[in-house]
Amino acid sequence: MSTEATPISAGLDGPTEPQGQVKLQLSTRQQDIALANNPGPILVHTNFRRYALSTLVNTLLQNEAPVPFEFLINGQFLRTSIDEYLTANGISSEVTLAVEYVRAIIPPLYVSSFEHDDWVSSVDVLSSSSSAGIWAGSSAAPRSGQERLLSASYDGLLRVWNMSSEVLATSSSENQGGHHLPVKSAKFLSPNLIASSALDRTIRLWKYTEDAEGFTASLKPRIELYGHKASIDSLAVHQPSFRMLSASADHSVGFWSTTKSDAPAAPTPLISQSSARNIKKRKLSSSISTPQRGPLALLESHSAPVSDTIFAPNDPTVAYSTSWDHTFRTWDLPTASLVDTRTTSHALLSVTALPDLNLIAVGTSARHITLIDPRASATTVSAMTLRGHTNAVVSLAKDPDSTYSLASGSHDGTCRVWDVRSSRNEQDGSVGESIYTIERESAKGNSRRAGGEGVKVFGVSWDQEVGIVSGGEDKRIQINKGKGIMSRGDAG
């Protein structure tokens, strides 16, 4: 193949007068958008921006429908013209630039909000592509347009919503088997089973049933789980193995069965305490009699409240946990034993996995996200730091469409979208910046309050069908989703 650069006309991007030129070597790590025949270095005008480069790649790929692309040069997304990038980074136009192209993440536009009576602590989605939908199989998962949202609130209630912002079901009140303090976490295990945890130190499993038309539904208590001695702030579920994890302020990680027959008896002292508290509130005539069970194990090694926990994405016999004691811990669940401890410099508040990269993302009280390689062979605690939030990062969710992206929710009142390929090397290691910031719609038109006061985000979920779903202090679920193809005006 000739080593001479292929010239590309400036006609792709407006001006026709003479411009500087530079050689680009295009490449991608995504095989489905790779160029069949590598054209070698391509000579382009330095006034090219992202839109012109995207048009160029679509032309080379002979795409009938244009696909929006992003471009990485030395780990940074191109946000200016090539000429401005060269000038800012002191790079000569005589150098051949290695340019990686990737599918663009469409800007997450505001879709809708669902209003609550109190703070929204946690959100989850049931769709054909969500974990619960996939576990249930295509015949049981919701069809497109029939997705369901689950919210947990400080009013002590769970709510299941349709996509028209209508509440289909609300959980029972306390005297009918519900929580009696704010609910902190809620997850779909299947289209018919929901788990919740609360400040009342209990986990509850609920049977969810819809009528044939999907207009009304019910949430009925199924099992009460006892074992923790303080607030249970986060849940992780893995229904194929009928297992569940909990993160508690009592410094422990709970390991539970989601089936009544497989779960141990509940600890008598904890049931007695709950019964004594409820005896005056439950009606003597109440027909509610929910089975009570205990944990398979309590994993005790943290020295401060456990903030979050997840199953290892490729091995449900392994768990990860984060804590206010600054540590990230790995657990072997069959033996209920601690495998590994990584100590950081800050309280850790949230966790999610980027499995294809062998990385775990943890949100911190110090306003940043740390990427950790949990493998024993890792030589450093932090593989990368993501900076941009101005308050604690309390919730994380992986992008269902990308190996490299995730969303975060923070007490600063925003969600941010990150791509870990966008980074730069600094004195203290590799640092990345967010590519989009999602503000709370409820705060628009008002002066921004320090630290996100009044609009703190408490929970975030990212679903392939629904988009980025978040809940918080403004008593709303908010949905944002990338829609359509990026326009030329968005490209600069």
Side-chain angles (χ1 to χ4, degrees):
M1 182 171 61
S2 172
T3 57
E4 292 186 5
T6 303
I8 299 295
S9 168
L12 285 170
D13 196 18
T16 56
E17 62 270 13
Q19 299 287 334
Q21 295 182 315
V22 65
K23 295 177 185 177
L24 306 184
Q25 181 67 57
L26 294 169
S27 66
T28 186
R29 284 179 268 186
Q30 297 170 261
Q31 290 303 311
D32 61 325
I33 56 172
L35 296 170
N37 298 307
N38 190 337
I42 297 174
L43 190 65
V44 304
H45 292 300
T46 56
N47 69 332
F48 272 29
R49 293 173 176 263
R50 190 172 61 180
Y51 178 82
L53 291 173
S54 191
T55 302
L56 166 61
V57 173
N58 275 288
T59 301
L60 293 172
L61 290 171
Q62 298 181 338
N63 288 333
E64 292 184 10
V67 176
F69 293 108
E70 295 268 17
F71 298 87
L72 287 147
I73 306 175
N74 293 327
Q76 295 181 44
F77 280 109
L78 183 65
R79 292 290 182 258
T80 64
S81 69
I82 296 175
D83 184 62
E84 289 170 294
Y85 173 84
L86 295 174
T87 301
N89 290 275
I91 300 173
S92 168
S93 61
E94 300 298 318
V95 173
T96 299
L97 288 178
V99 178
E100 179 184 358
Y101 64 93
V102 300
R103 277 192 182 84
I105 298 176
I106 306 301
L109 305 177
Y110 173 70
V111 177
S112 60
S113 295
F114 302 175
E115 295 191 15
H116 290 63
D117 296 328
D118 209 334
W119 295 354
V120 180
S121 56
S122 176
V123 291
D124 197 21
V125 180
L126 177 66
S127 73
S128 60
S129 59
S130 68
S131 294
I134 292 170
W135 295 334
S138 57
S139 61
R143 299 186 304 276
S144 178
Q146 300 298 310
E147 295 85 7
R148 299 292 182 253
L149 302 187
L150 172 64
S151 62
S153 175
Y154 272 69
D155 62 9
L157 300 175
L158 304 175
R159 292 173 178 83
V160 179
W161 307 72
N162 64 19
M163 296 309 296
S164 298
S165 74
E166 297 168 329
V167 177
L168 299 179
T170 303
S171 61
S172 310
S173 60
E174 178 185 356
N175 64 355
Q176 293 294 314
H179 290 288
H180 70 266
L181 287 175
V183 184
K184 297 301 295 292
S185 184
K187 300 284 186 183
F188 281 108
L189 291 93
S190 76
N192 304 113
L193 189 62
I194 288 170
S196 62
S197 69
L199 278 168
D200 63 12
R201 310 177 184 183
T202 68
I203 298 170
R204 295 169 193 261
L205 298 180
W206 305 82
K207 182 179 180 180
Y208 176 68
T209 308
E210 288 190 10
D211 65 13
E213 290 77 26
F215 294 134
T216 61
S218 64
L219 274 171
K220 301 296 184 184
R222 183 170 174 179
I223 305 174
E224 295 177 358
L225 297 173
Y226 293 83
H228 285 299
K229 298 177 181 177
S231 173
I232 305 170
D233 297 329
S234 181
L235 293 174
V237 297
H238 187 261
Q239 189 59 3
S241 62
F242 304 104
R243 295 293 183 261
M244 182 166 54
L245 297 168
S246 56
S248 174
D250 67 5
H251 304 185
S252 72
V253 176
F255 182 41
W256 312 81
S257 171
T258 62
T259 61
K260 184 171 59 176
S261 60
D262 191 32
T268 302
L270 295 180
I271 295 178
S272 299
Q273 291 172 19
S274 178
S275 297
R277 206 211 67 80
N278 288 332
I279 197 165
K280 293 183 179 180
K281 295 206 171 185
R282 290 209 178 186
K283 296 179 180 178
L284 295 177
S285 60
S286 173
S287 61
I288 299 298
S289 179
T290 308
Q292 297 164 329
R293 295 292 185 269
L296 297 171
L298 289 177
L299 312 178
E300 297 175 315
S301 181
H302 284 292
S303 59
V306 182
S307 55
D308 204 359
T309 183
I310 58 171
F311 288 94
N314 300 316
D315 185 355
T317 68
V318 174
Y320 301 123
S321 60
T322 53
S323 169
W324 286 81
D325 66 9
H326 298 192
T327 67
F328 168 82
R329 298 182 189 246
T330 304
W331 306 86
D332 179 69
L333 294 175
T335 60
S337 59
L338 179 65
V339 174
D340 184 54
T341 300
R342 306 289 175 89
T343 302
T344 69
S345 301
H346 309 283
L348 304 181
L349 308 180
S350 51
V351 61
T352 196
L354 302 176
D356 294 337
L357 303 179
N358 294 309
L359 292 173
I360 303 294
V362 295
T364 75
S365 62
R367 304 169 296 181
H368 62 257
I369 299 164
T370 298
L371 300 185
I372 295 173
D373 184 344
R375 295 173 294 182
S377 59
T379 56
T380 60
V381 173
S382 174
M384 182 184 291
T385 303
L386 306 179
R387 301 188 186 278
H389 280 298
T390 58
N391 206 335
V393 182
V394 296
S395 186
L396 296 168
K398 182 189 176 299
D399 180 351
D401 290 315
S402 171
T403 295
Y404 305 95
S405 303
L406 69 155
S408 57
S410 168
H411 282 178
D412 66 9
T414 70
C415 292
R416 288 179 181 253
V417 178
W418 313 80
D419 188 311
V420 301
R421 291 168 297 195
S422 176
S423 64
R424 64 183 185 277
N425 291 319
E426 294 190 354
Q427 188 172 1
D428 55 351
S430 184
V431 175
E433 296 179 344
S434 63
I435 56 177
Y436 295 116
T437 299
I438 301 172
E439 304 279 353
R440 301 304 285 175
E441 286 295 313
S442 61
K444 288 192 173 178
N446 301 320
S447 58
R448 188 160 184 187
R449 287 164 281 189
E453 181 184 352
V455 290
K456 291 181 175 68
V457 176
F458 297 142
V460 63
S461 179
W462 196 340
D463 182 77
Q464 193 173 49
E465 312 299 326
V466 176
I468 297 173
V469 183
S470 57
E473 195 178 16
D474 60 0
K475 306 178 184 179
R476 287 171 170 83
I477 292 175
Q478 179 170 312
I479 302 173
N480 291 77
K481 187 177 183 182
K483 297 187 292 186
I485 299 299
M486 189 181 300
S487 69
R488 185 177 182 128
D490 293 326

